[in-house]
Amino acid sequence: MEKTYNPAAIEQHWYSTWEENDYFAPSQEGESFCIMIPPPNVTGSLHMGHAFQDTIMDALTRYHRMKGYNTLWQPGTDHAGIATQMVVERLINQEGKTRHDYGRDKFIERIWDWKEESGGTITKQLRRMGASLDWSRERFTMDDGLSEAVKEVFVSLYEEGLIYRGKRLVNWDPALHTAVSDLEVLSAEENGFMWHMRYPLSNGSGHLIVATTRPETMLGDAAVAIHPKDERYKHLLGEFVKLPLSGRLIPIIADEYVDPEFGTGCVKITPAHDFNDYEVWTRHKEISAIQDQIHGGLINIFTPDAAIRDNEDDEQDLIPAAYIGLDRVAARKKIVADLDALDLLEKIEDHKLMVPRGDRSGSIIEPLLTDQWYVKVAPLAEPALEAVKSGEIQFVPDNWKNTYYDWMNNIQDWCISRQIWWGHRIPAWYDELGNVYVGRTEKDVREQHKLANDYPLRQDEDVLDTWFSSALWPFSTLGWPEKTPELKQHYPSAVLVTGFDIIFFWVARMIMMGKKFIGDVPFKKVYIHGLVRDAEGQKMSKSKGNVLDPIDLIDGISLEDLVTKRVTGMMQPHLAEKIEKSTRKAYPDGIPAYGTDALRFTFASLASTGRDIRLDSGRIDGYRNFCNKLWNAARFVLMNTEEQDCGINGGDLAYSQADKWIVSRLNQVIASTSDAIESYRLDHAAQEIYEFIWNEYCDWYLELSKISLQSDNEALQRGTRKTLLSVLETILRLAHPIMPFITEEIWQRVAPLAGIQADTIMLQAYPESDASQHNAEAFAAIEWTKQFILGVRRIRGEMNIAPGKPLPVLLENMSLTDQQHLPQAQIYLQKLGRIESISCLAKGETAPESAIALVNELRILIPMAGLIDKEAEITRLEKEIARLEKDLPRIEGKLNNPKFVDKAPAAVIEKEKEKLANIQLSLVNFNEQLLKIQAL
């Protein structure tokens, strides 16, 4: 083995080997264990959330593959309608063209070309993470098979009356000219204004003051609402106000939606441009004062560009001519100015408000009344809700089922149409008379409805919401609507691993579609993980300049390249200087290359179910050191076993207490690690593996094994070599699901020495705990030995005695157990504890002035006389005491100063208190030590 662990030299080699040999494919034997990857966007690149999630999925997949399951981790990518169309539109904009210059068919061809050239970035990065996906089965939500599944589901739901076309309010992106889902809308607090406007009462008796943050929408007002118990306005119910600027009469209505404490307690109701107002309108639309209005009070005032629209022929002057054609910002300015000129503007106040923006365009989202296609969700939701209530599907952790229930109990019909070109085009055709024909193809439509080939039909221009095809992912990827062997074997899958933010948008819809079209749930468990945050607990975002690229953590990146990466292509360029400064401070030397295994182990160690995690590069560095520790341990084992008799081919074998102890502990760790993985606690599994490898195998067993290897007993040497190899080989299999690369590299060298002939660790059996290997006697003996040695080492540290200086030890108060352990442990104590002699004090015998350590009731005494330079040690201790006594009043003064305590952050005060407690404790210890030394 190479002297130094270098992940770059091994990782890509092993991944290529695994993939070329088809090791990721299902074995076709045993019970199925299947995970469907949440399909990343084809435009995307790997971010920390992906890397965290993929580590969890790959660890579960590798574990079950080694446990003998017929394991499938299904790969694929999502066509990401809006995101992909935007990427390609930007490319053709650089040519001075738009998609309309290309036309729909040519533009879609251009997108397919782009996908072939550039759409594989994220799948390459998944390989870098060690993801053992069966790439031979890779799917794409726009491939032929999945497209057929989409058409089948759409037509079937339509024929059952569960898909319909209707006019409803949607999130409209005026820049992209399409409806978008709630998930594609980012709301953030921004500075704005609250305009207080006077709406005159129609009878001339006064006016109501209506407060709004969007005065331009008043052109579409249908009512003014008050709270039914608001004594200030109750007497006005049934009256009308005259809508300023347009002169329309609109009624005063009562609705509990109104908060009497907000603004003036009078709220303008604009049902075509506000979701809450739309709900108010639905509760009051039957009253004549609403019904009698044009369009029943549902008045849209905007074009798709969010400009004020023109009047239709039958609307006369519904929208005043002065505002027609103005975009919403210009319209707002003019309307406010005109209100002011008419003395109808009471006041303007500064106001912070939540502003919804499209996550792709950055444009302010406009609630807009449009014709869209919808899924009638209620009939589909009922069996999906019952699936979780009955336990058919379990959430991990369990509390996330409540979030699922909340959404499912208040579910709304699902808008599935999008006004873009890239995606699954809606399989609906129209004739010139407005008839709608839904079918799998135009040919099917003509045959079913007996329409001649020359009868004019045009296909719906819209495409389906990306989430529609994603909802079919668990079964469409397995070949549905065909009844394939894969569908029979792997549906339902074992577990879905996903973030909490898409429980509604994806998880619930997959359950609904699975129950509807397969008659079974799509997965048995839903593992919900938290968000990956930075070391300060902040959400990672480009605007904060705290984004970390997983590949940069694997390969390393220079400071200059990191700064360039963080400040390039920013939505808010004015933040670049601040981000550059913070990056230079946080990463003065750039980011070192940690390798994939260290990053994966970090993710696993943080994967406590459902909680957000803080990713600290210091922690990754710690697990990089852990990889080094394992590498160096393997080198030690190989140096002592290669070309040696390791008992594989027979010969007498003898085992030391240390050999028996490490095997006993190994079997306990196998059991606890397996239990942790089975219960989705990868953090517990990682902790068990780390503690055992670092603290027990490396720090203790390797040291204890040297004594057997250096003995004259050949059988003992042989037994220890065999144990060194067998435990290391088992450790590698134990850790492989989390750390695949380093374990494979070492295993290739270790396995033949352990008598194992096989091609790869990843297809070996996962270790099984053997209760018969538990050796209570060896466990107790070595634990006693460890505590004894630690006690001696502690005394050395406290008394500043050189680590290599042999020490005489006296034992006092020995029990029967101590007497049994001592003879077997003596050689370990002498070698590892650097002890020159061990003597037992007789009962009543007076001990000399000694430093003391305890192992249960046993007192370990190390006489001080002659071991240290008394005068030098006294001088050292006095200096330490003087330094601490100088620091003490400064910290006490700080904490007694009300100005400091009142103003300082809680964390700073806590740190100062901790410093004070440490100084006080050190003073007590140093003074006690000084008295002991002076007494010698």
Side-chain angles (χ1 to χ4, degrees):
M1 273 176 69
E2 293 294 326
K3 187 175 181 181
T4 307
Y5 167 58
N6 177 13
I10 64 173
E11 291 179 353
Q12 300 209 40
H13 160 71
W14 282 118
Y15 196 91
S16 298
T17 302
W18 296 330
E19 188 173 358
E20 286 163 11
N21 285 281
D22 219 17
Y23 292 155
F24 303 150
S27 65
Q28 306 304 333
E29 295 175 5
E31 183 185 340
S32 167
F33 179 86
C34 177
I35 295 182
M36 296 286 164
I37 194 170
N41 286 355
V42 69
T43 55
S45 57
L46 197 74
H47 58 61
M48 296 309 284
H50 288 133
F52 176 46
Q53 178 174 270
D54 295 330
T55 296
I56 294 168
M57 285 187 279
D58 192 51
L60 292 172
T61 301
R62 287 178 182 272
Y63 169 79
H64 284 90
R65 186 182 288 121
M66 295 175 80
K67 293 287 278 187
Y69 285 79
N70 183 22
T71 304
L72 169 64
W73 186 13
Q74 172 66 51
T77 47
D78 191 283
H79 65 277
I82 293 173
T84 306
Q85 180 159 317
M86 284 184 73
V87 167
V88 178
E89 280 198 78
R90 285 194 197 111
L91 290 174
I92 62 175
N93 289 345
Q94 290 168 14
E95 302 168 6
K97 294 180 180 177
T98 70
R99 63 185 163 114
H100 299 285
D101 294 322
Y102 271 75
R104 184 170 192 141
D105 292 343
K106 290 289 183 188
F107 178 70
I108 289 171
E109 276 179 33
R110 181 70 191 267
I111 295 180
W112 279 108
D113 291 343
W114 173 87
K115 179 193 177 287
E116 291 309 308
E117 293 165 18
S118 309
T121 300
I122 199 158
T123 58
K124 293 185 183 81
Q125 293 170 325
L126 280 165
R127 288 170 166 87
R128 294 297 313 280
M129 283 299 300
S132 60
L133 293 140
D134 181 5
W135 294 109
S136 70
R137 294 189 46 79
E138 185 177 358
R139 303 304 300 267
F140 178 54
T141 50
M142 286 277 286
D143 70 28
D144 290 344
L146 270 64
S147 296
E148 285 305 309
V150 166
K151 284 183 201 169
E152 185 65 32
V153 167
F154 186 95
V155 173
S156 298
L157 291 176
Y158 180 81
E159 288 173 348
E160 285 188 50
L162 295 177
I163 281 182
Y164 64 93
R165 186 165 169 81
K167 191 182 285 288
R168 297 183 62 165
L169 216 52
V170 295
N171 293 312
W172 184 263
D173 189 318
L176 299 178
H177 285 190
T178 182
V180 293
S181 72
D182 290 346
L183 195 64
E184 294 158 318
V185 178
L186 302 177
S187 293
E189 189 174 73
E190 297 183 18
N191 292 321
F193 300 96
M194 179 75 79
W195 286 269
H196 294 252
M197 307 179 296
R198 299 186 184 118
Y199 279 31
L201 291 163
S202 62
N203 57 19
S205 63
H207 59 256
L208 290 180
I209 295 173
V210 173
T212 183
T213 58
R214 302 172 68 217
E216 66 279 10
T217 62
M218 69 180 295
L219 300 177
D221 285 359
V224 171
I226 62 167
H227 193 276
K229 293 182 180 176
D230 193 331
E231 297 295 337
R232 295 170 297 173
Y233 306 118
K234 275 171 72 174
H235 64 286
L236 297 174
L237 286 175
E239 292 191 31
F240 288 81
V241 293
K242 192 173 183 181
L243 188 62
L245 307 180
S246 73
R248 285 192 293 114
L249 296 182
I250 58 174
I252 300 167
I253 61 174
D255 195 279
E256 291 190 347
Y257 159 68
V258 179
D259 178 0
E261 304 298 319
F262 182 77
T264 61
C266 298
V267 177
K268 61 191 282 302
I269 302 301
T270 318
H273 295 291
D274 184 285
F275 289 101
N276 291 317
D277 290 4
Y278 183 84
E279 293 302 317
V280 174
W281 175 82
T282 58
R283 291 192 287 273
H284 296 270
K285 64 182 179 180
E286 303 302 330
I287 67 173
S288 58
I290 299 286
Q291 269 188 351
D292 292 347
Q293 294 183 48
I294 192 165
H295 307 309
L298 204 55
I299 301 164
N300 171 42
I301 65 166
F302 288 131
T303 67
D305 294 308
I308 305 297
R309 69 172 178 86
D310 204 345
N311 291 305
E312 301 288 336
D313 291 341
D314 59 347
E315 291 178 331
Q316 297 177 339
D317 296 323
L318 173 66
I319 296 171
Y323 311 111
I324 291 170
L326 296 178
D327 72 53
R328 55 187 166 175
V329 177
R332 175 180 294 183
K333 285 180 182 174
K334 180 159 178 56
I335 284 169
V336 169
D338 290 351
L339 288 170
D340 196 22
L342 294 168
D343 197 26
L344 294 176
L345 190 63
E346 177 81 9
K347 62 179 177 178
I348 305 172
E349 294 177 321
D350 290 341
H351 180 70
K352 287 186 182 296
L353 70 160
M354 298 301 289
V355 177
R357 292 184 180 273
D359 68 340
R360 302 286 175 191
S361 67
S363 178
I364 295 176
I365 294 299
E366 197 64 59
L368 196 68
L369 201 60
T370 58
D371 285 311
Q372 303 286 347
W373 289 89
Y374 290 88
V375 174
K376 194 180 289 181
V377 177
L380 300 173
E382 197 173 325
L385 193 56
E386 185 55 35
V388 176
K389 286 182 177 177
S390 68
E392 268 189 284
I393 295 175
Q394 294 176 317
F395 277 83
V396 180
D398 185 62
N399 60 291
W400 283 107
K401 71 184 181 189
N402 297 321
T403 305
Y404 177 79
Y405 292 156
D406 285 346
W407 190 70
M408 293 298 279
N409 286 324
N410 297 287
I411 200 163
Q412 302 290 318
D413 284 359
W414 172 18
C415 175
I416 55 170
S417 46
R418 297 291 180 267
Q419 289 66 52
I420 56 176
W421 287 354
W422 174 243
H424 296 281
R425 194 164 176 183
I426 288 174
W429 285 261
Y430 303 90
D431 64 17
E432 292 171 351
L433 300 172
N435 292 309
V436 183
Y437 307 96
V438 170
R440 290 158 187 81
T441 64
E442 183 178 338
K443 183 172 179 286
D444 286 352
V445 163
R446 290 185 182 278
E447 286 177 2
Q448 185 178 358
H449 297 277
K450 298 181 174 57
L451 302 175
N453 288 337
D454 59 353
Y455 185 78
L457 289 178
R458 62 176 180 83
Q459 189 173 355
D460 197 302
E461 294 288 327
D462 290 356
V463 300
L464 286 162
D465 176 13
T466 300
W467 293 104
F468 190 87
S469 49
S470 298
L472 318 183
W473 188 251
F475 53 88
S476 62
T477 50
L478 297 174
W480 188 92
E482 300 299 319
K483 292 181 178 177
T484 63
E486 291 82 4
L487 189 64
K488 187 177 180 181
Q489 281 178 336
H490 298 297
Y491 189 96
S493 62
V495 60
L496 175 76
V497 179
T498 188
F500 63 85
D501 51 341
I502 54 173
I503 289 175
F504 327 123
F505 297 96
W506 191 43
V507 179
R509 288 165 180 168
M510 283 191 288
I511 298 172
M512 288 191 282
M513 292 300 187
K515 291 292 281 184
K516 176 67 179 171
F517 288 96
I518 310 294
D520 198 356
V521 296
F523 28 74
K524 296 164 192 170
K525 284 189 168 65
V526 182
Y527 174 110
I528 301 291
H529 60 75
L531 292 175
V532 181
R533 298 182 179 272
D534 70 9
E536 309 303 319
Q538 296 290 315
K539 190 172 180 180
M540 291 189 183
S541 72
K542 185 92 175 167
S543 62
K544 288 178 183 163
N546 61 352
V547 170
L548 287 170
D549 182 336
I551 305 302
D552 291 341
L553 293 170
I554 292 169
D555 293 340
I557 186 171
S558 71
L559 173 61
E560 297 309 319
D561 287 346
L562 181 61
V563 168
T564 302
K565 195 169 190 175
R566 286 186 160 184
V567 300
T568 301
M570 293 183 63
M571 297 282 282
Q572 298 167 285
H574 64 280
L575 297 173
E577 188 178 339
K578 179 184 173 186
I579 287 166
E580 178 173 352
K581 189 177 176 183
S582 65
T583 300
R584 291 185 182 279
K585 183 179 177 184
Y587 302 100
D589 303 314
I591 296 174
Y594 294 116
T596 302
D597 286 323
L599 180 59
R600 284 175 61 120
F601 204 91
T602 304
F603 283 136
S605 74
L606 294 168
S608 53
T609 48
R611 295 180 191 164
D612 288 355
I613 68 168
R614 292 188 178 198
L615 190 71
D616 183 351
S617 58
R619 189 153 188 166
I620 310 171
D621 196 44
Y623 291 123
R624 175 67 161 76
N625 293 338
F626 175 57
C627 292
N628 276 334
K629 188 89 168 176
L630 178 59
W631 186 266
N632 291 333
R635 290 186 71 246
F636 169 84
V637 172
L638 291 170
M639 281 190 290
N640 284 282
T641 55
E642 284 181 320
E643 298 179 10
Q644 299 285 339
D645 181 358
C646 301
I648 301 301
N649 300 314
D652 291 340
L653 295 165
Y655 296 102
S656 68
Q657 287 284 53
D659 296 333
K660 295 171 187 173
W661 164 74
I662 198 67
V663 170
S664 180
R665 278 293 299 129
L666 174 63
N667 278 278
Q668 290 175 329
V669 171
I670 290 169
S672 54
T673 301
S674 298
D675 287 347
I677 296 174
E678 294 283 356
S679 57
Y680 302 97
R681 290 307 301 260
L682 286 187
D683 54 333
H684 292 173
Q687 186 67 18
E688 288 285 332
I689 292 167
Y690 180 93
E691 292 287 343
F692 179 73
I693 291 176
W694 190 298
N695 296 331
E696 295 186 284
Y697 186 71
C698 294
D699 284 0
W700 284 105
Y701 179 64
L702 296 188
E703 295 303 314
L704 293 168
S705 72
K706 291 174 186 176
I707 295 161
S708 298
L709 294 172
Q710 292 162 6
S711 75
D712 297 328
N713 184 334
E714 286 189 13
L716 184 60
Q717 288 181 4
R718 200 177 289 120
T720 294
R721 287 193 201 105
K722 187 171 185 179
T723 305
L724 279 167
L725 283 169
S726 65
V727 173
L728 177 57
E729 191 276 334
T730 306
I731 283 171
L732 296 172
R733 285 184 286 124
L734 192 71
H736 177 75
I738 299 175
M739 309 167 75
F741 294 112
I742 190 172
T743 52
E744 180 75 273
E745 177 72 14
I746 297 171
W747 187 86
Q748 293 290 334
R749 298 289 296 273
V750 169
L753 297 174
I756 300 166
Q757 300 300 321
D759 294 327
T760 177
I761 190 174
M762 65 175 285
L763 299 182
Q764 295 303 293
Y766 198 76
E768 296 282 347
S769 181
D770 182 354
S772 70
Q773 294 288 335
H774 180 59
N775 190 316
E777 183 186 333
F779 181 81
I782 297 298
E783 288 302 319
W784 184 89
T785 303
K786 285 165 61 182
Q787 292 308 311
F788 194 117
I789 293 168
L790 288 172
V792 172
R793 287 176 178 170
R794 195 159 46 248
I795 290 169
R796 282 184 189 275
E798 289 171 358
M799 304 301 288
N800 204 28
I801 300 168
K805 187 176 180 67
L807 299 177
V809 170
L810 302 175
L811 301 180
E812 187 177 55
N813 202 28
M814 285 188 80
S815 67
L816 186 61
T817 303
D818 298 328
Q819 291 171 30
Q820 289 169 346
H821 288 321
L822 184 60
Q824 298 176 76
Q826 192 132 357
I827 190 165
Y828 296 142
L829 301 177
Q830 288 173 338
K831 297 278 188 184
L832 271 63
R834 307 279 182 178
I835 295 170
E836 67 177 9
S837 64
I838 300 174
S839 307
C840 301
L841 291 176
K843 200 168 184 180
E845 185 179 348
T846 304
E849 186 62 40
S850 303
I852 301 170
L854 297 175
V855 178
N856 299 321
E857 301 300 315
L858 174 66
R859 290 160 63 84
I860 302 167
L861 309 176
I862 298 180
M864 290 291 96
L867 282 179
I868 57 172
D869 181 334
K870 179 177 175 180
E871 295 308 317
E873 184 63 9
I874 287 172
T875 302
R876 185 186 75 83
L877 287 169
E878 285 175 341
K879 276 185 182 174
E880 286 292 326
I881 289 166
R883 182 181 64 79
L884 291 171
E885 286 177 339
K886 186 179 175 185
D887 285 346
L888 189 64
R890 182 179 60 80
I891 295 172
E892 284 178 331
K894 251 190 189 182
L895 290 170
N896 291 330
N897 181 353
K899 286 183 181 176
F900 171 76
V901 175
D902 291 344
K903 291 181 180 178
V908 173
I909 295 169
E910 200 54 45
K911 203 168 184 180
E912 291 299 317
K913 285 181 178 177
E914 202 176 301
K915 275 188 202 170
L916 180 64
N918 288 337
I919 288 173
Q920 289 169 336
L921 182 62
S922 297
L923 278 170
V924 170
N925 290 336
F926 282 140
N927 278 307
E928 283 179 1
Q929 199 67 18
L930 183 60
L931 289 173
K932 284 181 184 178
I933 302 294
Q934 288 169 338
L936 292 177

